[in-house]
Amino acid sequence: MPPRTVVIGVDSSTQSTKAAVTDTETGELLAVGRAPHVVTGEGGARETDPEVWWLALCDAVAAGLKESGLSPSSVVGIAVAGQQHGLVTLDRAGRPLRPALLWNDTRSAPQAAALVAELGGPEAWTARTGTVPVASMTATKWRWLRENDPSNAEATASVRLPHDFLTERLAGVAATDPGDASGTCWYSTATGAYDPDLLERLGLSVSMLPEVAATGGTRIGSLTDSAAEALGLPAGIAVAAGTGDNMSAAVGLGLGGAGLLDHPVLSLGTSGTVFAASRTRPASTALSGFAGADGTYLPLACTLNCTLAVDKVASLLGLHRDDATPGGEAVLLPYLDGERTPDLPTSSGLLTGLRHDTTPQQLLGAAYEGAAFTVLRALDELLLACGLDPADPEVAGRPLRLIGGGAQGRTWVETVRRLSGRPLIVPGSGELVALGAAALAASAAGGGDPVAVAARWNEKSEDAELPASERDTETWERIGSVRDRASEPLLGG
């Protein structure tokens, strides 16, 4: 029997790094090493020192290898999937000049509005980049930096996304992929390249940016001697281009050109997202029209307030997160960190419908309902962007794949099931972002199309399938009525 070979898929998220040691043949998750991050900032600020990510990556890889009991010589490839949109600025020596601005840093909302106006409105941006700038996007953060921290902006020699920064540390090569690059608002999904006019508007040059590989699974180089020493891995193993976390989750689910197309996914994490892999280039101002990691498109809608917002409400009420009942007449829109979808970057939470008999458990249930409603409302827009009719019974009957930390929570699952009226699939494969990164690493190591690799691995996955239940249209319409009638001043926008 030939010796076992493994790849390492890295999920560098907002809060932590996970390193999944994965069997290249079977996709078996042999071990997951973990290391935390530190996020700083008050109000709209959210920042992390990029060096924290690198140290966490080293610690997570070491922990994963130790847990697996395997020799480092078993590892043949590595890939990083990272939180999208973050702005990393480097000096000429490749060192971070300042903490990175994270995706959920909302200080650049004024810059986002200015950029939208300068190009001629949302439709103009959708036509060029596939995405309308909001405070989450990298382009808006770069303009904020130029206006608010001009000395560091002037000293910037290179601009990277979080996963780009880590990949460059691994291989010594400045590289990214179409998926993560499409979240910057300076990459055109229409042309598949950086947009020179947008770069000029932003005061950037192509020389400051990483080269865009063909796919996230493209081998862009080999693990350098210095990185190998830091990680305890063999020098020379394959390093993939890697991608953004949402694109990697799609790969991990087997969504893409060599797998499932136009099947919606709802991710319940720090943010709530709904996305699907499609061959149709999305053209909706309500969505982020991202590229996929494998050459397809990944239309996506993202909310800022999901599991953390609901957990905050549970904490305020002194309840466990599953001590919830349906909200009754209460409606709670938990926009605690501003909101991205809808675009209300300075909004705050809104609570209405309180009665004498409203219970704490109902208030917590209303927080679940408000968060789930916000992301589910984008589902029809997502399907339309894929060229599908949401009212078509065949389309409406397609199961909604539920992933992320919230997918393991009973109340989250039941709330989504009740408000969507759709059948649900909760994939048995854990750590989908890291698993997708592992498939990218396997592809870079000679394993073929990464989506096909992940689809083969998933054949042995034991998914939980829940049939559709009758949709709670009364609750849906009550939340929708509050949201539609609430003015921006009432929401704090």
Side-chain angles (χ1 to χ4, degrees):
M1 177 179 293
R4 168 176 269 176
T5 60
V6 298
V7 288
I8 296 179
V10 177
D11 171 9
S12 181
S13 69
T14 313
Q15 304 292 335
S16 67
T17 292
K18 302 173 186 177
V21 182
T22 307
D23 188 291
T24 54
E25 181 59 32
T26 66
E28 181 184 357
L29 194 61
L30 303 174
V32 180
R34 294 174 171 83
H37 298 168
V38 176
V39 178
T40 62
E42 297 179 353
R46 295 292 185 274
E47 298 183 344
T48 295
D49 181 354
E51 296 292 351
V52 168
W53 300 329
W54 174 247
L55 294 174
L57 190 157
C58 294
D59 290 345
V61 168
L65 273 177
K66 182 178 180 180
E67 181 185 339
S68 74
L70 294 173
S71 166
S73 62
S74 302
V75 181
V76 297
I78 187 169
V80 177
Q83 55 180 303
Q84 287 188 254
H85 312 310
L87 176 68
V88 181
T89 53
L90 306 177
D91 64 16
R92 295 190 182 281
R95 295 183 299 254
L97 285 162
R98 67 179 314 282
L101 277 67
L102 306 185
W103 65 274
N104 52 352
D105 188 310
T106 59
R107 288 175 291 177
S108 62
Q111 288 74 23
L115 284 170
V116 172
E118 286 174 18
L119 200 64
E123 292 78 10
W125 280 94
T126 298
R128 295 274 283 275
T129 71
T131 300
V132 180
V134 293
S136 301
M137 303 299 171
T138 323
T140 72
K141 300 179 189 303
W142 172 248
R143 176 163 285 189
W144 181 92
L145 193 72
R146 295 187 74 197
E147 294 177 4
N148 293 274
D149 189 1
S151 60
N152 275 321
E154 183 66 27
T156 298
S158 303
V159 170
R160 301 287 183 263
L161 297 167
H163 116 263
D164 304 342
F165 170 76
L166 294 171
T167 301
E168 191 167 6
R169 281 287 176 93
L170 294 174
V173 175
T176 190
D177 85 302
D180 213 8
S182 68
T184 60
C185 279
W186 58 60
Y187 174 92
S188 172
T189 55
T191 64
Y194 293 127
D195 187 308
D197 175 58
L198 294 179
L199 291 180
E200 184 177 357
R201 288 174 180 271
L202 292 164
L204 285 169
S205 65
V206 171
S207 63
M208 298 172 69
L209 304 175
E211 184 176 344
V212 183
T215 73
T218 300
R219 180 170 183 162
I220 53 91
S222 302
L223 193 67
T224 65
D225 290 341
S226 60
E229 182 177 359
L231 295 170
L233 295 177
I237 65 172
V239 177
T243 192
D245 51 4
N246 290 299
M247 295 79 192
S248 188
V251 172
L253 286 164
L255 272 60
L260 292 171
L261 289 168
D262 304 324
H263 281 244
V265 177
L266 196 158
S267 176
L268 299 167
T270 303
S271 61
T273 59
V274 59
F275 62 86
S278 180
R279 291 201 182 280
T280 302
R281 181 177 181 268
S284 168
T285 58
L287 300 173
S288 295
F290 296 141
D294 71 330
T296 57
Y297 296 101
L298 197 76
L300 178 149
C302 177
T303 67
L304 291 182
N305 300 277
C306 195
T307 58
L308 287 185
V310 171
D311 285 351
K312 178 62 175 180
V313 173
S315 176
L316 290 172
L317 295 170
L319 298 175
H320 183 272
R321 62 169 60 98
D322 279 326
D323 292 338
T325 59
E329 293 185 54
V331 172
L332 202 168
L333 299 176
Y335 299 167
L336 307 188
D337 286 319
E339 191 45 78
R340 170 172 165 178
T341 305
D343 183 21
L344 297 167
T346 61
S347 65
S348 55
L350 175 65
L351 173 62
T352 187
L354 288 180
R355 300 291 185 185
H356 281 289
D357 59 355
T358 301
T359 67
Q361 290 75 18
Q362 286 177 315
L363 287 182
L364 181 55
Y368 275 100
E369 291 167 353
F373 169 88
T374 302
V375 68
L376 281 171
R377 205 180 204 196
L379 182 58
D380 285 354
E381 191 72 34
L382 172 81
L383 294 170
L384 288 168
C386 293
L388 303 173
D389 178 3
D392 184 324
E394 190 277 327
V395 174
R398 292 183 185 179
L400 184 61
R401 284 168 169 77
L402 203 61
I403 66 172
Q408 307 307 312
R410 171 179 55 83
T411 305
W412 274 114
V413 172
E414 287 307 312
T415 303
V416 171
R417 185 173 178 230
R418 177 164 55 90
L419 292 183
S420 71
R422 285 177 169 269
L424 302 183
I425 293 177
V426 181
S429 300
E431 308 296 349
L432 283 166
V433 174
L435 182 68
L440 297 176
S443 177
D449 184 278
V451 172
V453 169
R456 174 169 54 82
W457 289 351
N458 288 338
E459 290 175 358
K460 299 181 179 181
S461 175
E462 296 182 2
D463 300 340
E465 300 186 18
L466 303 175
S469 63
E470 183 177 357
R471 190 174 192 183
D472 185 354
T473 55
E474 181 180 351
T475 297
W476 181 268
E477 291 172 359
R478 181 171 59 253
I479 299 171
S481 175
V482 170
R483 169 62 195 94
D484 291 342
R485 289 184 292 113
S487 64
E488 290 193 12
L490 189 59
L491 286 166

